[in-house]
Every structure is written in structure tokens, then in C-alpha cells.
Amino acid sequence: MDIRQLRYFVTVVEEANFTRAAARLHLAQPGVSAQVRQLERELGQPLLDRSGGSVTLTEVGEAVLPYARAALAAVTSVRQTVDEFTGLLRGRVDIGLVPGAGAHEVDLPSLLAGFHEDHPRVEISLTEDTSERMLAALGRGELDIALIGLAQEEPPPGISLQVVIDEPLVVAVAPGDPVLTHEGRTVVALSELRDRPLISLPRGTGIRGVLERACAQAGFRPRIAFEAAAPGFLARLAARGLGVAVVPALPPDEASALGLRTLEVTRPGLRARVALAWRADGPGGPAAAALLDRLRTAFDALGSR
């Protein structure tokens, strides 16, 4: 028995599938399957039931799993302890991003590249998802850090936040839209969007949560005609006259290029807020803590300008 076999076994359990586990481990599926079977032969008992549509634990596998995880955690702790003495960081950092986060004023690709140059033994994994799912993943320890959109004023229990963007939500409309009651209009009351076809980010995103909560408080449900993950695509749909896009404030040149008019939402005013999020008890290891510190410093520098 070796530590690789235990790692493969635990990964297969978490993915409930050999192919997905192999992809996560960056290995060929037959090799992962062979190593897990070798572990079972050494232990003299099957750990996994492969007869169904997904891989499940046998009774013996259920009993072994906590010890396999404890062994992997112990190995990680040994490496981290040695690294603390040598000043070397290693490990893996899992980061979640809202779609479009790479377009933020902080150049995330360059920042991550710089971190990788300083700490080449740290593997960085990036995923895009809705804010709602990323918050849940943070709570389960599946993500170390996330850049999320905020739907609520306060973070969920156990999550710490650093707000990095806080700007008004606007509606973007094509010329001739009924909301443009006069040429110089710059604001629109939320109640005027009742029964209008709205173009919005998907459910589970921070902006969609802000919109739905405000509409519920105003006594109506928003009529969502189209939804997409990228605010720029929502604006292009609005430019074709397909509805009223609810988006963060657009740069004037972008709105002008699309022929859009933007109006700030009032009564109540709605805010688009993006935050860096992590577990309140801290990231899972030194590498994640170091990257979080670098991200917080970069966003702090942006806010002080």
C-alpha cells in the first residue's frame, strides 16, 4: 500500500466515477483503476462497488475511507511543516471566479502568473460558476478563495469577505424603448420594470439575487425574458431591442458603441457588489493563505487610488 493508492481511492469516491477521477488527477483512467484494484488486493476486500451507474463504497470501503483521508491529511501536514522551515510553498489552491472577473481592473492573469513564478510548486485551479454555488463550495472546503457577486448585505456564517466592487446597477435599453420617456432621463424607478421583459444574469448570481429580492419587496416577480452569464452579452441583447438589460454600470464608450442608453435604477437603488470570499477560519493551507494575502493586497491598492 502506498499513498498514491489512497489518493486515487479517495478521489474516485469523491467523483463517484473512475473517468472523472482520472481527469481530476491528470492521469489515464486505466492506471487509476489498476492502482485501486491493487489496493483492494492488498487489503483482501473490495472497497468499491462498480456494478451500478456510478461507483459507490462497499461496507468495508465506508470503514476505510476516514482512515485514508486521515493518512492523506497527515502527509500534507508533514510536507507543510517541512516547507515552513525551508520557506518553500507547495500544494494546490482552488479558486472560483464569477464570469467576467478577468476583466476587472486588477489584472488577475498577471497576478496569478506572478504568484506562480514565485511559487512554482503550487498548483492553481480556476473555475467559473455562480456565486451561490461558489459560496456553498467554500463552506464545504472545495474552494479556497472565490470572487463572487453579493446578493445579501451580510455574508453567510463562516465566510469572510472583502468587497472589491460596489457600483450602481443600471438598465440598458435600445433607443425608442418605452422606459425612455424623455431625452434627458437618467434614472428609472424599479416599479417601472414590472411586466417588462428583462435580460439578466442567471439565477444564483449576486446581481440576479439583488434584482429578485428588490422586486419581491416591491410586490412583483421580475419577468426574465433572457439570461446569460456575461454582462456584455446581456447588453448586446438589449441593443437588439429584446428587452431591458439589468447590468453593472457600462463604460460610456461601450454603451455608445452598442447604441444603448443606460439609466440608474432608483426607489430602491440597486448595487452591484463583487467581493473576495474565503472561509472565516482561514484557507486550507499555507499556499492558499499566501495567495489570498496577495489578492487582498492587490485589491486594497486598487481601492486606495
Side-chain angles (χ1 to χ4, degrees), residues 5-276:
Q5 293 171 338
L6 296 179
R7 181 173 293 108
Y8 298 171
F9 164 61
V10 170
T11 304
V12 171
V13 171
E14 291 175 350
E15 296 293 338
N17 180 279
F18 276 95
T19 300
R20 289 196 299 269
R24 179 170 150 190
L25 292 163
H26 306 292
L27 297 170
Q29 185 270 332
V32 173
S33 181
Q35 287 295 321
V36 173
R37 287 195 180 278
Q38 177 64 26
L39 176 63
E40 291 175 317
R41 284 195 292 271
E42 291 182 18
L43 294 174
Q45 291 289 335
L47 304 178
L48 300 172
D49 182 351
R50 302 160 172 82
S51 61
S54 62
V55 179
T56 58
L57 285 164
T58 64
E59 185 176 359
V60 174
E62 289 273 9
V64 166
L65 181 61
Y67 295 101
R69 284 180 165 151
L72 293 175
V75 169
T76 298
S77 296
V78 168
R79 287 176 175 159
Q80 289 177 353
T81 299
V82 173
D83 292 344
E84 287 174 5
F85 281 94
T86 61
L88 175 69
L89 284 180
R90 73 174 80 211
R92 176 187 172 101
V93 184
D94 292 289
I95 307 173
L97 303 174
V98 287
H104 191 271
E105 284 187 64
V106 169
D107 186 350
L108 283 173
S110 294
L111 192 151
L112 295 175
F115 184 85
H116 177 68
E117 289 175 6
D118 293 340
H119 307 290
R121 302 296 297 272
V122 175
E123 178 186 356
I124 299 174
S125 171
L126 293 176
T127 58
E128 283 192 340
D129 209 339
T130 66
S131 301
E132 191 174 90
R133 285 197 289 264
M134 288 192 292
L135 280 170
L138 280 171
R140 294 192 298 267
E142 295 168 4
L143 287 177
D144 297 298
I145 305 165
L147 197 61
I148 63 168
L150 295 180
Q152 305 286 341
E153 289 298 320
E154 297 297 327
I159 300 295
S160 293
L161 298 175
Q162 176 180 340
V163 176
V164 298
I165 299 175
D166 188 348
E167 59 188 10
L169 275 178
V170 302
V171 297
V173 295
D177 189 275
V179 79
L180 299 173
T181 55
H182 58 274
E183 180 61 28
R185 189 172 197 196
T186 60
V187 299
V188 59
L190 180 66
S191 60
E192 295 180 63
L193 303 181
R194 184 193 299 263
D195 300 325
R196 293 299 313 280
L198 302 182
I199 304 170
S200 171
L201 293 173
R203 184 165 291 167
T205 58
I207 287 176
R208 179 66 170 269
V210 167
L211 175 65
E212 290 184 338
R213 190 173 73 252
C215 289
Q217 291 171 350
F220 69 95
R221 291 185 62 185
R223 178 186 160 201
I224 306 298
F226 298 93
E227 59 181 33
F233 185 64
L234 303 182
R236 289 195 292 275
L237 291 174
R240 299 305 298 266
L242 295 173
V244 177
V246 182
V247 292
L250 296 171
D253 56 344
E254 182 179 338
S256 177
L258 292 170
L260 288 169
R261 287 279 307 278
T262 60
L263 298 87
E264 187 174 337
V265 182
T266 62
R267 289 182 283 163
L270 306 183
R271 308 290 298 182
R273 301 168 71 228
V274 175
L276 198 63

